[in-house]
Amino acid sequence: MQFGERAPKSGWQNPARFLAMMVAAFSMAVFGPVATAQEAPAEEVAAETAAPTEAGDAATEATSSYTPLGPDMIVGQPVGAEEDFWGSMQFQPQHSPTGEQALWMHDVILLPVITVISLFVLGLLLFVVARFRKAANPVPSKTSHNTLIEVIWTVVPVIILLVIAVPSIQLLLDQYKSPDKDALTVKVNGYQWYWGYEYPDYGMGEVISNMMPEDEAKEKGLPPQLAVDNRMVVPVGEEIRIQTFGKDVIHAFAVPSLWFKLDAVPGRINEGKIFIDKPGIYYGQCSELCGARHGYMPIALEAVPREQFEAWVLSQGGTLPSAEEEAAPAAADAPADGDAPVEAGDAPAEASDAPAEEAEVALAN
C-alpha cells in the first residue's frame, strides 16, 4: 500500500462482509449436524432390517433340512421270541459307553462267575448224595470240622466278591457322574400317561409325546405300542443332561439300549446323563407302575447329527444359543441411542472452525 492510499475496510468496518461470514458459520453449525445425525439412524435401520431377514432365511433353510428318521433307522428296541429266541432273553445291544461297560461286566464277569458257582454247587450236591448215602455209609462219619475246608469256604467267597466289587463300583461312579456343564439339558416330565420334553437352552415350548395309534404305526412301518407322535430329539455323540420330574405320580424314564433308567418323582428333580454313539431311534417304556395306562406311555428317542438337531429346534420355534451369543456382543458394540448424534456433531463442530478462523483473519485485516 502506497502513501496516501486509503486502507481497505476490515470486517468490522464492512458490515455486509461480516454479516455473510456469520451467516455461513451459523449454517454450518446448525444444518451440518442435522444431516449427519439423520444418516446414522438410516444406517441403523438398514442394519436392523437386514438382520431379521438373514435370520429368517437361515431358519427357513435349517427347518427344511430336518427330516424325521424312518423305520430303517430303528436301533434300540425289544425283540420277541418268534423273531430272535436267544436275543429275547438277553440285554439289548448297547449304544452308550456306560451301557457297553455294563454289558461287558455282565458277559465277562458276572455270567461266568454265576455259571461256575452254580455248576460247582450242583456237582457238590450230587457228589454228597452219591458218596454219603446210607448204603455206602452204614456207620455215619463223626467228623466235626475241617480247618482247611473252613479256610477255603471263607477266603474264596471274599476273593469272588472283591473281583465283582471293583468293576461294580467303577460302573456306579460312571453311571451317576454329573454331566459336563456345557451338556445339552432336556427336562423330562412324566404325566398320566404321556411324556413331555423341555429344552430350556433353546427357548422352545414343551414337546408333548403320546403313543401313536396302532393302525397309524403299522401304516408307517413303526413298532406298535412303541411309536409316538413326537419323539425326543437329541444330538448324537454328545453328553445329554436328563432331568426327570413327575407332574402327578411317580414315573420312571427308561431306555434299555442306552442303559438308562431314572425315576420321575413329584416335588423333586433327578438328574442323569446319556451319551449316544450311533444315530437312530431308541425305544423305552415307563418302568414304574403309574396307573391304569402305565403300559401305554412309551419313550421314543431320536439321535441325529448336530446340524439336524438344530434344524429340528428351529422347526419347533426355538432359537440356537450360538446365534444368541453372537448377537449379544454385536448389541453391546452398537452405539446407544444418544451416541450417534453426539459423534455426528463432532465433524460439523470441526468444520465450523474454518469460518471462525476466516472471520478472525478478516477482523485482523
Side-chain angles (χ1 to χ4, degrees), residues 145-156:
H145 67 275
N146 185 297
T147 304
L148 178 61
I149 293 178
E150 291 175 0
V151 171
I152 291 175
W153 75 35
T154 302
V155 174
V156 171

Side-chain angles (χ1 to χ4, degrees), residues 45-357:
V45 172
E48 293 175 358
T49 306
T53 304
E54 295 175 358
D57 295 341
T60 304
E61 182 180 355
T63 303
S64 62
S65 65
Y66 170 73
T67 303
L69 299 181
D72 57 317
M73 292 297 292
I74 296 177
V75 178
Q77 70 170 344
V79 294
E82 63 279 1
E83 300 177 15
D84 186 354
F85 179 78
W86 181 246
S88 64
M89 297 187 293
Q90 299 185 54
F91 289 108
Q92 296 182 26
Q94 297 299 306
H95 298 280
S96 69
T98 305
E100 292 175 355
Q101 182 181 355
L103 189 60
W104 173 87
M105 180 178 173
H106 172 268
D107 294 343
V108 177
I109 298 178
L110 295 182
L111 200 57
V113 169
I114 293 171
T115 303
V116 170
I117 293 177
S118 300
L119 293 178
F120 174 74
V121 173
L122 177 61
L124 189 61
L125 288 174
L126 294 176
F127 171 76
V128 170
V129 169
R131 176 67 179 79
F132 298 103
R133 69 187 188 278
K134 182 178 181 180
N137 295 275
V139 181
S141 173
K142 296 181 180 180
T143 303
S144 61
H145 67 275
N146 185 297
T147 304
L148 178 61
I149 293 178
E150 291 175 0
V151 171
I152 291 175
W153 75 35
T154 302
V155 174
V156 171
V158 171
I159 295 175
I160 293 174
L161 290 177
L162 288 175
V163 171
I164 296 175
V166 173
S168 296
I169 294 174
Q170 184 62 44
L171 177 61
L172 288 173
L173 292 175
D174 293 342
Q175 188 170 351
Y176 293 101
K177 183 179 179 181
S178 299
D180 295 337
K181 63 178 182 179
D182 297 330
L184 174 106
T185 300
V186 180
K187 184 182 177 186
V188 179
N189 299 317
Y191 301 88
Q192 288 181 310
W193 290 272
Y194 58 93
W195 295 98
Y197 307 118
E198 297 181 33
Y199 297 76
D201 298 333
Y202 291 88
M204 53 187 291
E206 185 177 15
V207 179
I208 300 300
S209 178
N210 285 283
M211 186 179 73
M212 186 179 293
E214 185 172 350
D215 295 339
E216 183 180 352
K218 290 182 177 178
E219 182 180 353
K220 295 182 177 180
L222 299 172
Q225 298 187 5
L226 286 177
V228 298
D229 53 1
N230 293 306
R231 299 169 183 158
M232 171 181 160
V233 181
V234 296
V236 69
E238 299 182 18
E239 279 195 358
I240 312 298
R241 177 186 291 106
I242 303 295
Q243 296 179 340
T244 58
F245 184 80
K247 291 290 189 177
D248 34 46
V249 298
I250 299 178
H251 303 272
F253 185 82
V255 184
S257 59
L258 300 176
W259 202 268
F260 188 86
K261 181 179 182 293
L262 196 62
D263 288 347
V265 183
R268 62 175 296 176
I269 293 180
N270 291 330
E271 183 175 289
K273 68 174 181 178
I274 292 179
F275 186 96
I276 308 174
D277 58 15
K278 182 179 180 180
I281 303 172
Y282 301 84
Y283 288 111
Q285 288 274 5
C286 176
S287 298
E288 188 74 33
L289 188 60
C290 59
R293 294 186 60 81
H294 158 70
Y296 300 97
M297 51 182 302
I299 299 164
L301 193 153
E302 180 175 327
V304 296
R306 165 57 72 167
E307 294 77 12
Q308 295 186 27
F309 169 74
E310 293 179 351
W312 175 80
V313 169
L314 295 176
S315 70
Q316 298 294 319
T319 57
L320 303 180
S322 58
E324 295 178 355
E325 293 173 359
E326 292 176 359
D333 295 339
D337 295 340
D339 292 346
V342 174
E343 295 177 357
D346 294 342
E350 295 176 357
S352 63
D353 293 343
E357 293 177 355

